[in-house]
Amino acid sequence: MNLEDFTKTFIFSYGVAFMNIALIMIVSQRKHLIDYINALFHFVFGLMCFAGGFSVANRFESLPANLTVYYSMALLGPIGSAFVLDSVGIRFTKMRLFHTIILGITAVYIGGTVLIFAGVPWKYVFTLSYGLLFLSDVSVFIFLRIELGKFRNVAGNLKVLYTILLVIAVQTLGMLLSKPLGLDSLLYIFWILLIFAIFGLTLLSFSAPETWNRLRESATQAHNDKTRLKKLDIPELLKSLEEVMETRTPFTDPELSLEDLASLIGISGPQLSEILNQHLGVNFSSYVNSWRIKMTKKRILAEPDSSILTIAFDSGFNTKSSFNAVFKKETGTTPTAYRKENT
């Protein structure tokens, strides 16, 4: 099997896979805006790959397949930008940067359509959609570095996201340069690498959803450094917060967000974030995890026959690795050792 045949089969197969993943996201995940954006991103990327398989098979001479690839790839710029910006808690719909990207896709759609029907070769037409995806990715990356890079509490949490954005930027730049130069073999390689990068984002969405909560929380802190607590009764709110955590145990929900918890005591996410930081000296993730560990420790001793992992999941942790890491950080020992030492 040569590279062209492998690429055709590979991107077609993953196109089908990504479209199915999008449907799974809609069915299985919580119905917040970011979940719909994430699902739409995966569906459009899957559609692009699905059509790309046919396009490669027909040596880029199939008009329906080429049109689908072109318009789908152009959509990835604004959808991907919306996903990243919403991930860090930025209201992208009111951002000038996002409006500019929307204008960009409009220009790409109109310009591409004109070029197609004017008979311009596809290798030049495709550079418009590749270019929009590249510029969108780079613009969002630069924006995040400028807006959030100076905040130490954000930098660590953004490393994964920065890495994904940089990898996608390099790959789309490679695709942008390969096509007009007629380097189809190089184009195929970059396309396959782009699939792996997006697949990494997919794995992150399913296996470590708390990453997005940490990103959103950190960015919220960064954008709300001016206090909004002047008119609030802090002691009463802290009392209400502790009562809610004791009686309603919202922390047992592994997808509990800053906004979800804040709504239970009648304030906004940014206000709760400031209260936790200024008055308790912790961030949202640490605060919630401390309650999860508190419940876990109590049940580990009270239920010696119960599985530690089952107790951890019941307490709100969604992965074994995150539970073990937090437990060790909070107690200085492992869950198993803790049970043996205290029973």
Side-chain angles (χ1 to χ4, degrees):
M1 180 182 290
N2 58 34
L3 180 60
E4 183 176 308
D5 291 335
F6 174 79
T7 303
K8 173 184 63 179
T9 305
F10 185 84
I11 64 177
F12 177 84
S13 301
Y14 270 86
V16 174
F18 277 115
M19 287 191 285
N20 280 284
I21 286 171
L23 296 177
I24 293 172
M25 287 179 170
I26 290 296
V27 172
S28 65
Q29 295 189 339
R30 302 181 72 181
K31 303 304 183 287
H32 295 309
L33 176 61
I34 192 170
D35 297 318
Y36 288 111
I37 298 174
N38 195 8
L40 180 60
F41 178 81
H42 280 82
F43 181 82
V44 172
F45 185 74
L47 181 62
M48 183 193 78
C49 292
F50 180 79
F54 286 105
S55 185
V56 173
N58 290 277
R59 298 185 178 277
F60 300 100
E61 294 180 1
S62 170
L63 180 61
N66 288 351
L67 285 173
T68 304
V69 172
Y70 178 80
Y71 291 125
S72 298
M73 180 167 283
L75 271 176
L76 289 177
I79 296 174
S81 301
F83 174 74
V84 171
L85 295 172
D86 191 74
S87 294
V88 296
I90 297 173
R91 300 181 66 182
F92 62 88
T93 54
K94 295 186 177 182
M95 284 187 57
R96 182 176 299 178
L97 170 62
F98 186 72
H99 294 166
T100 302
I101 294 173
I102 292 297
L103 290 176
I105 188 176
T106 303
V108 166
Y109 269 26
I110 294 174
T113 303
V114 171
L115 293 178
I116 291 166
F117 288 99
V120 174
W122 276 102
K123 65 180 182 180
Y124 299 118
V125 177
F126 275 128
T127 58
L128 292 178
S129 56
Y130 293 145
L132 178 62
L133 180 57
F134 172 73
L135 291 175
S136 300
D137 184 89
V138 171
S139 298
V140 170
F141 175 82
I142 293 174
F143 171 80
L144 292 179
R145 291 293 295 175
I146 293 174
E147 290 295 308
L148 306 180
K150 59 180 177 287
F151 295 92
R152 293 181 180 179
N153 62 312
V154 181
N157 292 332
L158 284 177
K159 284 182 179 178
V160 174
L161 192 57
Y162 284 157
T163 301
I164 292 174
L165 288 174
L166 280 175
V167 169
I168 292 176
V170 171
Q171 290 162 351
T172 50
L173 178 62
M175 297 171 78
L176 173 65
L177 298 176
S178 300
K179 190 59 183 173
L181 295 175
L183 304 174
D184 286 348
S185 295
L186 193 58
L187 173 66
Y188 298 153
I189 293 173
F190 279 118
W191 201 333
I192 292 171
L193 292 175
L194 180 62
I195 288 175
F196 280 119
I198 302 300
F199 191 64
L201 189 64
T202 307
L203 291 177
L204 196 64
S205 299
F206 280 105
S207 64
E210 68 275 6
T211 298
W212 307 122
N213 286 335
R214 290 199 299 268
L215 289 175
R216 183 184 293 272
E217 177 198 345
S218 298
T220 298
Q221 291 176 234
H223 282 282
N224 293 281
D225 54 347
K226 291 184 179 180
T227 184
R228 298 180 179 180
L229 309 181
K230 292 181 180 179
K231 298 181 180 180
L232 299 179
D233 186 343
I234 304 302
E236 187 62 31
L237 283 171
L238 287 172
K239 182 180 177 181
S240 297
L241 179 61
E242 185 169 359
E243 183 178 341
V244 164
M245 298 298 275
E246 284 279 7
T247 60
R248 301 178 63 175
T249 62
F251 54 86
T252 57
D253 178 1
E255 295 185 8
L256 178 69
S257 69
L258 179 67
E259 289 79 9
D260 292 336
L261 183 56
S263 68
L264 295 178
I265 57 173
I267 60 176
S268 68
Q271 288 173 326
L272 176 59
S273 180
E274 271 194 85
I275 289 174
L276 293 176
N277 276 270
Q278 292 186 17
H279 297 274
L280 298 183
V282 296
N283 60 30
F284 171 72
S285 296
S286 297
Y287 179 73
V288 172
N289 282 336
S290 69
W291 281 90
R292 289 170 177 162
I293 292 297
K294 182 180 178 181
M295 172 179 277
T296 303
K297 288 167 62 179
K298 182 178 180 181
R299 289 188 58 190
I300 283 177
L301 301 182
E303 305 170 24
D305 296 327
S306 296
S307 163
I308 292 178
L309 192 57
T310 299
I311 293 174
F313 288 159
D314 289 344
S315 301
F317 291 99
N318 55 8
T319 65
K320 180 180 178 180
S321 59
S322 63
F323 163 63
N324 286 333
V326 174
F327 194 95
K328 184 69 178 291
K329 181 180 179 181
E330 291 282 336
T331 66
T333 187
T334 65
T336 303
Y338 177 82
R339 172 177 272 177
K340 288 181 179 179
E341 292 167 1
N342 292 277
T343 55

